[in-house]
Amino acid sequence: MSIGAAVPMIDARERVTAAIRYVQDLALPGMLHAAVVRSPVAHARVVSVDAGAAREVPGVVAVVAGDDLRAHPDLAPAPTYGPQIKDQPVVALDRVRYVGDIVALVAAETPRAAEEAAALVDVIYDELPAVFDPLSALAPGAPPIHDLRPEEEQDREGTALYFDIRPQFGTNCCNLFRLRHGDVPQRLTQADVVVEETFRTPAIQHVPMEPHVALAAWEGDRLTVHTGTQTPFNVRDMLAALFGLPPEGVRILTHTLGGSYGAKVFPRIEPQAALLARVTGRPVRLALRRDEVFLTLTRHATVITIKLGLKRDGRIVAKEVHASWDTGAYADCGPNVAQKGGFGVVGPYNIPSVAVDSACVYTNLPPAGAFRGYAVTQAAWASESMMDIAADRLGIDPLEFRRRNLLREGDTFATGETLHDVRFESCLDHAAAAIDWDGGAARDFGDGRVRAKGLALVMKGMTSPSRSEARVGVGRDGRVVLASSTVEMGQGARTVLAQLAAQELDVAYDDIRIVDPDTARTPFDNRTTSSRSTFMMGNAVTRAAVGLRQQLIALAAERLEAAPADLEVIGGAVRVAGVPESAVSFGELVRGAHRQEMTETAEFRNEGGLDPDTGQGIASSHWHQGAGAVEVEVDTFTGKVTVLHAHGAVNAGKVVNRHTAALQNVGNLVFGLGSALFEEIVYDGGQATNANLSDYLIPSFMDLPAALTHDLLEKPGADMHGVGEIALPPIPAAIGNAVARAIGTRVRELPLTPERVLRAMATTTRGGNGPGEDDG
Amino acid sequence: MERSVAFRLNGEPTELTVATDATLLEVLRDACGLTSVRSTCGIGICGACTVLVDGAPLSACLLLAPLVDGATVETVEGLSGDEGALDPIQQAFVERMGFQCSYCTPGMILGTKALLTENPDPTPAEVAAYLAGNLCRCGSYPQITEAVLLAAARLREAGRAAADPSL
């Protein structure tokens, strides 16, 4: 069978012939096209919106602004939404909070008419003070961006919320996650060496090749939305709340996504498309331009300060962390990002005392949310840089320093949970071996070029608790049908899930028909995030397929007058073991039972949850584990960093499809290179100045290292492990560690641009090897 | 303002009336229904809307539709042979899994076709340089390179076989 093999994606043919359908390719009969009027100012009261001229444009059907929602509350009875805090209005009600915030919506017969009209909407703003970085936003006297009040602090509806959040009322902190383990002050007094450093990362963008698109249509009080989303059920529930409908009143359908990487998690443009469709009574298509994609969601910019208490023998005895996550103008899932980063920043080490304060902070920038690596890339940039700094202070090889502090099988993590299936050491050793780790010595060629190597190691949780359901069936034609709400987005989910069903039913995986996510027809799944689908949905599919096999065997047992234990399932048929002529095909069994189809639905759950004030509990039922190792060359004349070799070593447990698993690792390494070396949204007064693919670079063929290698670490009998994200987070930190060894000083802020590298070197030349300045 | 434009699209003579400021991307997607031509950056950087115009890979998002009057335009829809047989380049992309989300794939395949017409035996570095204007955010670049090299080898082999009937 195909499990563990390198087999092509089930839809490979459709992908190379372009027969495959993305939401971008859909049209609904009679549909209108939408355009968005966006705020040019970072923070303001909306004084007035004059749509008179816009409505005169031929083809314009409707212009909707906050006044319309106030005048007709039935349009959207609860006009704000958000997965953890309902703070984002479907269209600005009285304030705009970032450059790009939605102040009005236009629907017209053509995209051109909609765009033309949007440009004619005349908005008068009364500007308010604005703030663009999380530390300023937390300072006393900072302009309040939302006025969160205790009575609205928690939203217990829907499935997104599984942990309590702690807004700091009267400040811009929308969640303060605390983790407390052991006695940090006491341990610090016992430390031989204490080191403290601050690290920064910028906002970056996912840049899915397919921009966001949604098509919404109403039939009476029922809403249907076709949208490119990783989260069909979350979008369903949040739209239902927004429009005052029961969850079943909203139907969300999706197809394969042209990339997402977190960009299409939770409602992005679906509320706006649905509102316009409700106002106009016609289907509406809303498709974003590339510049608008940059304004729709980013990865959290961060400032993270870490203090480590060390013993001379190389043991870490205390870790104290203050982290700020810039969630922009709306919280989105930022509160959860601060939590995940709050324990992720501890790292895969056994540390007797840990104290983390992890704050999710509003600023007047575009909202930040889910992004491949989900908080761990930023956390690892700080914590894995700090591991090298600490090793150097103690004069210990950074590989050996990590080994002395590693979490091992059965150890207790800072959250109080006991870890199993622990493979950090194996990941680290494979990564180090792949680059011929040499202790981290710099090699100076004497012509301006210096080479050095670097390592990093990370742990990442998987959404806990969560639930996945799958339905596997067989019809009268004998063909196996697999229905789940796992979203295909290029990761190969359709293929891997089909392989798992095929394994139990002994059919060819590429003969299985896949039903795309449709909240009215496919069973429930939390969402396609957190590298959870292969493990969670995979197990649900396996259970459903096993159940279906048992049903088929039971039917065949009657028909063949044989004991079920004597039957076997081979090649889409059931037969008496070893007797080919007794075979009854699946189709014959279904037809013989006078059924249209036989189906089996099964679910798989995991459990967990953390106390928001102590961080104690179960952070994750299943840990993603991975290491990165690189060799870099720095041109000390220009500051340019060239990565010569990048390697990712991840725990894969049991690989289902060697092609798609390898593509995940390689893709993560390439993503990591961009994040490390050049990706950054540059804001000026809150305005994104490089919101296009000419000024915002993503890795191309020309940016690849000469060697790009990886390990998928397996173990007999191990569980399947998702590998969708885990090779990414160690890469920027590993590159940063290698660059620090090459130039003898450290850049503490991503990305590692030539300017930053040169400035760090100049600082060293002037001031010796002291604490480097954070550069800007 | 509108005008008539006549061109050969995937082998078929095609005549359309288009707005003078319509891009080839808009016309191919909206009027001709060719969804392989994909809008991503809108400014000719990413290569997702690559089409072959008289054999040259061009960004359809930057090309005004009237400018293809009299030209030959090829998209991925025109590549598969009779009865849906895959082109050798498409076949190589499947075998080497040279894609993930595959939004960039039509552009990559047409870029490869142009490359292999110019240079039937490229080195990996030449592949990278030629396709540098085709972005793949999923980062499948190593697998794409392998697919291109496999397709090149097969096309050379097929060319030799065609040139020497004794083979």
Side-chain angles (χ1 to χ4, degrees):
Chain A
M1 297 302 284
S2 67
I3 300 294
V7 295
M9 284 188 192
I10 191 168
D11 45 15
R13 185 188 171 83
E14 291 95 320
R15 290 180 183 277
V16 297
T17 57
I20 201 159
R21 285 290 163 267
Y22 301 88
V23 179
Q24 201 69 239
D25 302 328
L26 301 184
L28 296 175
M31 74 182 182
L32 298 169
H33 297 268
V36 180
V37 181
R38 295 180 182 277
S39 171
V41 296
H43 198 191
R45 269 189 297 276
V46 178
V47 177
S48 64
V49 178
D50 179 357
R55 290 199 172 94
E56 297 293 307
V57 173
V60 168
V61 175
V63 181
V64 183
D67 280 346
D68 302 301
L69 294 187
R70 270 191 297 276
H72 306 283
D74 52 313
L75 279 177
T80 58
Y81 59 93
Q84 282 145 15
I85 300 173
K86 286 185 181 175
D87 59 4
Q88 187 159 5
V90 61
V91 57
L93 295 171
D94 53 358
R95 270 161 94 179
V96 287
R97 294 182 175 87
Y98 72 98
V99 177
D101 209 351
I102 297 173
V103 71
L105 299 164
V106 180
E109 299 289 349
T110 66
R112 286 184 180 212
E115 288 283 343
E116 187 186 339
L120 293 174
V121 174
D122 189 15
V123 186
I124 296 177
Y125 298 97
D126 177 15
E127 285 199 53
L128 298 166
V131 65
F132 305 117
D133 75 273
L135 297 189
S136 304
L138 287 174
I145 296 166
H146 291 272
D147 307 304
L148 297 184
R149 295 191 187 91
E151 62 270 23
E152 58 176 316
E153 71 181 322
Q154 289 181 9
D155 168 14
R156 292 191 174 278
E157 289 174 39
T159 55
L161 189 75
Y162 58 85
F163 72 106
D164 296 326
I165 64 173
R166 292 286 184 268
Q168 304 296 293
F169 301 115
T171 79
N172 285 315
C173 174
C174 62
N175 183 30
L176 178 61
F177 170 75
R178 293 188 189 84
L179 190 154
R180 296 291 183 268
H181 169 70
D183 188 341
V184 168
Q186 193 249 339
R187 292 277 186 172
L188 280 173
T189 64
Q190 297 169 350
D192 298 320
V193 177
V194 174
V195 287
E196 181 171 351
E197 299 273 356
T198 297
F199 304 87
R200 288 177 163 81
T201 64
I204 70 172
Q205 223 280 322
H206 318 67
V207 193
M209 299 301 277
E210 180 190 28
H212 300 71
V213 60
L215 298 87
W218 290 81
E219 273 181 77
D221 262 351
R222 299 181 71 85
L223 169 65
T224 299
V225 185
H226 299 261
T227 179
T229 183
Q230 294 178 234
T231 58
F233 278 92
N234 304 114
V235 171
R236 180 194 72 164
D237 292 352
M238 285 186 249
L239 288 181
L242 185 65
F243 292 108
L245 305 173
E248 313 77 56
V250 179
R251 179 180 182 188
I252 305 294
L253 301 96
T254 193
H255 303 293
T256 190
L257 310 190
S260 182
Y261 328 105
K264 301 165 184 173
V265 167
F266 300 129
R268 297 269 70 88
I269 59 170
E270 297 86 353
Q272 288 74 25
L275 177 61
L276 278 175
R278 187 164 217 184
V279 168
T280 60
R282 287 174 60 182
V284 169
R285 178 178 191 265
L286 172 53
L288 297 188
R289 297 184 311 265
R290 178 59 53 188
D291 58 299
E292 294 180 291
V293 173
F294 277 90
L295 301 175
T296 298
L297 199 72
T298 70
R299 187 178 81 185
H300 288 79
T302 58
V303 182
I304 300 178
T305 298
I306 299 180
K307 183 190 282 188
L308 288 182
L310 307 165
K311 300 295 274 185
R312 291 255 172 247
D313 67 2
R315 292 288 304 185
I316 306 168
V317 294
K319 183 167 190 173
E320 187 179 282
V321 182
H322 292 271
S324 299
W325 305 81
D326 181 348
T327 206
Y330 300 104
D332 200 78
C333 59
N336 184 255
V337 168
Q339 187 226 38
K340 293 286 188 284
F343 62 77
V345 75
V346 178
Y349 305 107
N350 191 345
I351 306 173
S353 72
V354 176
V356 179
D357 281 7
S358 187
C360 183
V361 184
Y362 287 125
T363 64
N364 294 108
L365 290 174
F371 192 108
R372 194 177 200 175
Y374 207 78
V376 177
T377 309
Q378 300 100 309
W381 169 246
S383 61
E384 285 298 291
S385 295
M386 203 61 190
M387 289 300 286
D388 267 41
I389 290 168
D392 289 354
R393 281 291 295 272
L394 296 173
I396 300 174
D397 176 332
L399 173 61
E400 174 58 23
F401 177 64
R402 284 179 173 82
R403 280 205 189 107
R404 283 184 202 175
N405 291 285
L406 276 180
L407 279 171
R408 294 169 201 281
E409 186 69 26
D411 279 353
T412 301
F413 184 50
T415 53
E417 68 205 272
T418 303
L419 300 190
H420 300 290
D421 203 6
V422 176
R423 308 198 66 199
F424 294 114
E425 188 160 27
S426 177
C427 292
L428 186 61
D429 287 349
H430 278 82
I435 59 160
D436 296 322
W437 174 251
D438 54 6
R443 199 145 56 98
D444 190 333
F445 289 84
D447 58 0
R449 293 179 303 138
V450 188
R451 289 185 183 180
K453 298 173 183 178
L455 298 169
L457 180 68
V458 303
M459 66 193 299
K460 182 185 179 301
M462 188 190 77
T463 302
S464 306
S466 76
R467 184 164 69 87
S468 294
E469 276 180 32
R471 185 172 67 241
V472 180
V474 61
R476 294 171 71 86
D477 60 358
R479 192 160 179 209
V480 175
V481 179
L482 167 56
S484 86
S485 296
T486 290
V487 177
E488 172 63 55
M489 49 189 179
Q491 83 279 46
R494 287 172 174 167
T495 307
V496 162
L497 297 177
Q499 286 181 263
L500 291 167
Q503 176 78 9
E504 301 304 330
L505 294 165
D506 199 56
V507 294
Y509 78 97
D510 49 357
D511 277 345
I512 292 181
R513 192 167 74 79
I514 305 288
V515 181
D516 275 342
D518 172 351
T519 59
R521 293 180 60 203
T522 53
F524 178 82
D525 179 45
N526 259 64
R527 48 189 164 268
T528 305
T529 60
S530 199
S531 305
R532 62 185 288 283
S533 300
T534 298
F535 177 66
M536 295 295 300
M537 189 60 80
N539 275 299
V541 166
T542 296
R543 286 181 177 180
V546 166
L548 180 64
R549 186 179 66 195
Q550 285 163 351
Q551 283 192 47
L552 291 165
I553 286 176
L555 267 185
E558 282 181 33
R559 184 163 170 150
L560 296 171
E561 296 180 350
D566 295 334
L567 299 184
E568 63 184 359
V569 174
I570 285 190
V574 187
R575 69 187 197 190
V576 177
V579 186
E581 54 275 22
S582 69
V584 190
S585 73
F586 292 172
E588 285 176 83
L589 287 169
V590 175
R591 292 193 300 272
H594 306 291
R595 304 267 291 272
Q596 284 305 309
E597 60 176 354
M598 295 176 62
T599 63
E600 179 83 16
T601 301
E603 72 165 21
F604 193 78
R605 289 171 178 268
N606 68 337
E607 304 298 337
L610 292 179
D611 182 290
D613 299 312
T614 64
Q616 298 301 294
I618 304 291
S620 180
S621 65
H622 183 94
W623 287 93
H624 302 311
Q625 306 169 51
V630 302
E631 182 174 19
V632 305
E633 180 174 289
V634 181
D635 181 329
T636 57
F637 296 143
T638 65
K640 182 173 167 53
V641 176
T642 303
V643 177
L644 304 171
H645 185 182
H647 185 89
V650 310
N651 178 29
K654 179 173 77 175
V655 169
V656 180
N657 185 322
R658 213 154 294 280
H659 267 322
T660 55
L663 283 162
Q664 288 299 305
N665 267 356
V666 167
N668 273 312
L669 294 172
V670 175
F671 242 93
L673 290 170
S675 184
L677 298 179
F678 40 80
E679 289 190 42
E680 174 175 20
I681 305 175
V682 177
Y683 296 104
D684 182 359
Q687 168 93 43
T689 63
N690 59 342
N692 61 72
L693 293 193
S694 178
D695 298 316
Y696 183 99
L697 302 182
I698 63 172
S700 82
F701 271 103
M702 304 304 281
D703 298 304
L704 295 197
L708 192 65
T709 55
H710 69 97
D711 292 307
L712 292 160
L713 301 175
E714 296 179 89
K715 196 170 151 183
D719 278 340
M720 301 177 283
H721 270 266
V723 295
E725 301 169 89
I726 195 62
L728 164 54
I731 293 302
I735 293 174
N737 286 337
V739 169
R741 291 180 187 285
I743 65 174
T745 187
R746 185 167 287 273
V747 181
R748 290 168 178 77
E749 180 166 12
L750 287 176
L752 297 161
T753 58
E755 292 86 346
R756 288 206 174 102
V757 170
L758 279 184
R759 194 171 299 148
M761 289 170 60
T763 306
T764 309
T765 312
R766 284 199 308 274
N769 201 14
E773 296 303 313
D774 292 309
D775 47 282
Chain B
M1 283 274 289
E2 291 185 335
R3 61 157 288 182
S4 171
V5 53
F7 57 106
R8 209 166 183 80
L9 177 59
N10 293 328
E12 298 293 321
T14 303
E15 192 162 353
L16 296 166
T17 301
V18 302
T20 50
D21 63 346
T23 65
L24 184 61
L25 170 65
E26 289 170 317
V27 168
L28 292 178
R29 273 192 81 86
D30 301 339
C32 306
L34 299 178
T35 53
S36 72
V37 191
R38 294 171 184 156
S39 178
T40 284
C41 72
I43 55 173
I45 296 288
C46 74
C49 65
T50 299
V51 296
L52 300 182
V53 178
D54 291 335
L58 297 180
S59 293
C61 71
L62 291 187
L63 192 61
L64 292 175
L67 295 176
V68 301
D69 195 46
T72 295
V73 177
E74 291 169 81
T75 72
V76 157
E77 283 86 350
L79 273 189
S80 308
D82 295 339
E83 288 148 28
L86 294 181
D87 177 272
I89 299 170
Q90 292 173 313
Q91 183 63 34
F93 270 71
V94 170
E95 289 178 33
R96 291 292 179 267
M97 275 302 303
F99 49 84
Q100 291 176 57
C101 84
S102 70
Y103 211 71
C104 68
T105 303
M108 289 287 180
I109 287 174
L110 292 176
T112 301
K113 188 173 184 200
L115 163 66
L116 298 183
T117 304
E118 286 178 34
N119 178 1
D121 192 8
T123 64
E126 287 168 343
V127 172
Y130 197 92
L131 294 178
N134 289 82
L135 299 176
C136 169
R137 184 53 153 169
C138 298
S140 312
Y141 296 120
Q143 287 80 0
I144 294 170
T145 304
E146 286 184 34
V148 174
L149 297 175
L150 175 64
R154 287 192 180 151
L155 287 167
R156 287 197 306 276
E157 187 62 31
R160 275 197 293 275
D164 180 358
S166 71
L167 282 176

